[in-house]
Amino acid sequence: MAKVHQFDVIVVGAGGAGLMAGLYASRGAKTAVISKLYPTRSHTGAAQGGISAALGNYEEDKPEWHTYDTVKGSDYLGDQDAIEFMCNEAIEAVLELEHMGLPFDRTPQGKISQRPFGGHTNNETGKPVRRAAHAADRTGHMILQTLYQQCLKNKVNFFDEYQVLDFLIVNGRAAGVVAIELATGELHTFHAKAVIFATGGHGRIFEVTSNAYVYTGDGAAILLRHGLPLEDMEFFQFHPTGIYKLGILITEGVRGEGGVLINGKGERFMPKYAPTVKDLASRDVVSRAIYTEIRAGNGVDGKNYVWLDARPETINKFAALDGRLNPDGTPYTITGEQVLQKLPDIIDFCRVYLGVDPITQMMPIQPTAHYTMGGIPTNKFGEVVIDDRNTVFPGLYAAGECACVSVHGANRLGTNSLLDLVVFGKHAGLKAAEYAKNADWQNLPGDADAGARSALDALRNGSGKENAFDITVEMKKVMFEDVGIYRNEKGMRAAIEKVRELKERFKHVRVADTGRIFNTELLNAWELGNMLEIAEVVAECALNRQESRGGHSREDFPERDDENWLKHTLAWHTGGKTRVEYKPVTITKYQPKKRVY
Ligand SMILES: Cc1cc2nc3c(=O)[nH]c(=O)nc-3n(C[C@H](O)[C@H](O)[C@H](O)COP(=O)(O)OP(=O)(O)OC[C@H]3O[C@@H](n4cnc5c(N)ncnc54)[C@H](O)[C@@H]3O)c2cc1C
């Protein structure tokens, strides 16, 4: 029998979204945060470029412009009421982080410094606007540290290195979770009135990815298994600039500071694809441009990578050609020392992992699987909704990358995720605490941990004919190749078949490590089970959507089709089968327009 704990609100995940939710929930309810990682190791800490808010600290900017850019960036699939809500709350959210002590970079006047990022524009001139508030190129690290300190100060209870394996439902309401304590292998039942999932994305289903090892879609897979739907799973963002082969992210901030993409022939190619914003076009556009160049034989040495050039002389040459100006109207130039000061971590990564010095050499890059747009459907208060009428599941909340509000629609704009965490993490925390205040306790059954126990036992007692590592490698490869940047029916059908075959093989996995203490082999195998289910749903939803929109690009349906496909997908996966239904997109002010780059 598992140990039992009782809290009003349980938050699963201690990244930006989980910590913000935990902080706000703890002000009104007895709250615990459970995390499979020590909190400050969460992926939020890897976020580099910045967090968006129309502060207008260098030049004019408005929440309305931020809203429209986000709607446009989402390729009109984002829900406009939620986007407007987020962009209006952005300024207060960033100032709140500042007041908590987050050490943002500063303008000469002492205000929070901001940099340009892809898709953020002055809506009147169409020119890039500086909207990304940043702390060098480690903005996420600073957010995570700041929020963790605030949580400690507010005495939030933490269960670090506990992995949640199951969600408990009693009388159709959230009633808690079951977790394994990694250090002992013991199961713990957490009885709660409200549960908030903030478990991050599932980029690890792809071969080349910028995502942390823990991005295995645990939260989404657990809820899927309990018969809840996931939204817009076909939409996954490929970031244009990952380090070749390694996938490690090179922030868009490099291009924000003036870096440009160069093909194997030494040409700057983005003006061909996006004449106005060029290298700062949305990520989907830049990733496809790189692939198109590679397919046309313009990769470096015929290989599947191109260069990112951030050498000061290159930046200065193209800034002059583009007529880029400083805020005071003087021509924009940069020195090697300034590049180093603004992008210290990137320079470090390249020096350490590649032996390349970006101040004097170009960086080899290829698109990398980066961000999960789809996920657990929620409304703008973080409440999980379970059908096309947005019916709320009592006591269940989700926030951050695992959730789909949907503010990112078919494609997320850079720096809007950190914002999403802070805004929706806060509201999920507030709502959960309010709910817990009025809700009754649900009685847990005596065998509440049975589901988690049997999932682990299956992996301990399998026939042993199959090896989890091999299955993982095969899944990642087929998903990256056939459900990646470019997709077509034939490839996706093959991918679905492959994933189903891998799921069958997975039933025969037996872990070799029979120990209880930090049995990472066992938990990696359990995570693989999650990834296989998520991969199948992603591939099926992608096959189902017969159009190209944002990050979902079909070679056999190259156009966006608003008449038939301006709608969200809801996917259920029960009994090994995926069922797809739809939900309308909320459109308030902005009627869909063709994207112009
Ligand atoms: C390299 C990189 C750079 C990025 N740069 C930017 C940027 O500059 N600007 C921007 O806006 N966005 C950026 N993003 C995206 C953004 O950082 C992420 O979307 C965001 O940080 C996700 O936060 P989160 O709180 O949802 O999840 P995370 O920070 O990943 O936290 C997930 C938490 O869930 C826990 N967890 C997961 N499963 C379980 C389980 N089964 N049991 C218990 N705990 C569990 C983990 O321990 C972790 O604490 C970047 C992403 C990457 C990968």
Side-chain angles (χ1 to χ4, degrees):
M1 188 45 200
K3 273 192 189 156
V4 181
H5 310 260
Q6 198 176 58
F7 291 92
D8 296 327
V9 178
I10 287 289
V11 183
V12 186
L19 293 178
M20 198 70 184
L23 185 60
Y24 270 88
S26 69
R27 291 178 181 163
K30 192 177 165 207
T31 302
V33 176
I34 305 176
S35 175
K36 66 177 173 179
L37 296 176
Y38 186 76
T40 51
R41 296 179 67 93
S42 302
H43 191 66
T44 297
Q48 302 167 353
I51 173 166
S52 54
L55 300 168
N57 283 355
Y58 280 116
E59 61 228 325
E60 191 188 5
D61 198 5
K62 309 174 185 177
E64 290 94 301
W65 292 353
H66 189 183
T67 302
Y68 179 58
D69 286 341
T70 306
V71 170
K72 200 167 94 176
S74 81
D75 224 353
Y76 294 91
L77 196 74
D79 287 321
Q80 295 182 12
D81 56 338
I83 294 175
E84 194 171 352
F85 178 78
M86 177 178 82
C87 296
N88 284 338
E89 294 236 330
I91 295 175
E92 196 188 307
V94 169
L95 295 181
E96 184 181 8
L97 291 173
E98 182 190 33
H99 295 162
M100 284 176 181
L102 196 147
F104 283 111
D105 285 6
R106 297 282 156 185
T107 70
Q109 292 75 34
K111 294 181 185 167
I112 294 173
S113 177
Q114 296 183 275
R115 58 165 55 119
F117 242 77
H120 293 286
T121 63
N122 173 319
N123 287 180
E124 280 155 22
T125 62
K127 293 242 164 85
V129 71
R130 277 161 269 227
R131 190 176 288 150
H134 59 95
D137 55 0
R138 34 181 109 94
T139 314
H141 171 86
M142 295 304 185
I143 290 180
L144 201 57
Q145 299 288 336
T146 304
L147 290 178
Y148 187 48
Q149 286 165 3
Q150 291 293 317
C151 284
L152 292 180
K153 185 173 146 201
N154 282 277
K155 307 215 169 355
V156 175
N157 299 283
F158 279 94
F159 290 85
D160 299 336
E161 299 185 334
Y162 280 61
Q163 185 154 357
V164 169
L165 303 174
D166 201 7
F167 170 56
L168 301 172
I169 303 174
V170 178
N171 298 326
R173 292 170 177 264
V177 295
V178 179
I180 181 169
E181 182 180 3
L182 302 185
T184 62
E186 229 182 303
L187 287 181
H188 293 246
T189 298
F190 290 85
H191 189 195
K193 289 182 178 174
V195 175
I196 305 175
F197 278 89
T199 44
H202 52 249
R204 281 275 148 191
I205 63 172
F206 296 104
E207 186 178 22
V208 177
T209 177
S210 67
N211 286 184
Y213 279 97
V214 293
Y215 260 33
T216 50
D218 298 1
I222 288 172
L223 295 185
L224 199 59
R225 237 168 258 151
H226 279 284
L228 275 72
L230 298 177
E231 182 172 343
D232 291 341
M233 291 298 276
E234 59 273 38
F235 294 102
F236 199 90
Q237 178 170 82
F238 291 82
H239 192 294
T241 56
I243 293 181
Y244 178 49
K245 284 191 177 161
L246 301 176
I248 297 173
L249 191 79
I250 302 286
T251 173
E252 201 168 305
V254 171
R255 283 169 288 135
E257 302 297 345
V260 292
L261 292 161
I262 306 281
N263 67 18
K265 291 183 175 161
E267 297 160 349
R268 181 192 189 191
F269 54 87
M270 275 316 296
K272 240 187 336 193
Y273 300 92
T276 315
V277 279
K278 303 181 182 103
D279 297 82
L280 282 176
S282 296
R283 291 176 177 174
D284 55 338
V285 176
V286 183
S287 289
R288 283 197 289 274
I290 294 173
Y291 251 66
T292 308
E293 288 293 310
I294 289 170
R295 285 178 165 192
N298 294 339
V300 179
D301 297 333
K303 301 212 176 84
N304 54 348
Y305 71 94
V306 295
W307 300 117
L308 174 59
D309 193 344
R311 295 174 298 179
E313 58 276 21
T314 310
I315 293 180
N316 294 339
K317 178 176 124 190
F318 286 110
L321 279 173
D322 293 347
R324 181 169 175 179
L325 300 175
N326 288 316
D328 63 3
T330 55
Y332 178 87
T333 56
I334 202 162
T335 62
E337 289 85 74
Q338 286 166 329
V339 173
L340 189 59
Q341 185 198 349
K342 291 186 172 188
L343 303 161
D345 277 6
I346 291 305
I347 311 274
D348 237 31
F349 288 158
C350 289
R351 286 178 179 163
V352 171
Y353 296 113
L354 286 175
V356 162
D357 183 350
I359 310 282
T360 56
Q361 292 168 291
M362 296 189 284
M363 297 167 258
I365 59 97
Q366 80 181 122
T368 182
H370 184 58
Y371 185 82
T372 303
M373 262 92 65
I376 306 163
T378 72
N379 60 25
K380 66 184 180 205
F381 302 113
E383 294 169 312
V384 172
V385 293
I386 52 169
D387 56 24
D388 58 346
R389 292 173 315 253
N390 288 318
T391 306
V392 168
F393 188 103
L396 179 59
Y397 303 80
E401 195 169 334
C402 70
C404 180
V405 183
S406 147
V407 283
H408 308 303
N411 173 53
R412 172 176 74 83
L413 287 191
T415 70
N416 266 354
S417 169
L418 291 179
L419 177 61
D420 161 355
L421 310 181
V422 180
V423 170
F424 297 110
K426 167 179 165 178
H427 285 284
L430 286 172
K431 271 281 170 204
E434 185 190 306
Y435 172 87
K437 209 176 278 172
N438 303 313
D440 297 326
W441 285 100
Q442 304 297 317
N443 291 327
L444 289 183
D447 62 347
D449 61 342
R453 200 176 289 282
S454 71
L456 297 183
D457 283 348
L459 295 166
R460 291 190 183 108
N461 303 325
S463 69
K465 274 200 309 219
E466 294 289 347
N467 172 301
F469 180 77
D470 294 341
I471 296 176
T472 311
V473 170
E474 289 179 45
M475 171 196 67
K476 285 169 187 283
K477 194 163 168 358
V478 74
M479 289 302 290
F480 194 69
E481 281 174 7
D482 289 332
V483 198
I485 294 177
Y486 280 111
R487 300 164 169 185
N488 60 49
E489 179 173 348
K490 189 164 164 259
M492 287 187 287
R493 284 202 187 281
I496 292 168
E497 209 165 299
K498 181 75 188 173
V499 172
R500 287 196 183 135
E501 172 207 316
L502 295 174
K503 276 175 77 179
E504 279 307 308
R505 284 170 52 192
F506 178 71
K507 291 181 184 156
H508 298 285
V509 165
R510 183 178 63 221
V511 294
D513 183 352
T514 54
R516 304 193 74 79
I517 298 171
F518 282 105
N519 190 338
T520 48
E521 189 195 354
L522 176 67
L523 290 162
N524 287 348
W526 179 76
E527 290 170 344
L528 171 60
N530 296 338
M531 287 196 286
L532 286 167
E533 273 178 46
I534 298 278
E536 188 176 354
V537 172
V538 169
E540 296 218 52
C541 291
L543 176 65
N544 182 62
R545 185 175 281 272
Q546 298 184 337
E547 65 156 355
S548 288
R549 182 185 297 269
H552 174 64
S553 188
R554 295 265 315 232
E555 290 167 306
D556 39 359
F557 296 97
E559 299 297 323
R560 195 177 85 194
D561 175 1
D562 287 339
E563 209 172 300
N564 296 303
W565 289 103
L566 186 58
K567 54 191 178 188
H568 297 293
T569 306
L570 288 178
W572 286 259
H573 189 77
T574 40
K577 288 214 170 62
T578 304
R579 175 168 59 91
V580 169
E581 290 182 16
Y582 303 98
K583 186 167 101 166
V585 173
T586 306
I587 292 176
T588 55
K589 289 190 196 145
Y590 308 103
Q591 286 307 314
K593 279 199 215 145
K594 205 168 163 36
R595 279 172 99 189
V596 182
Y597 307 113

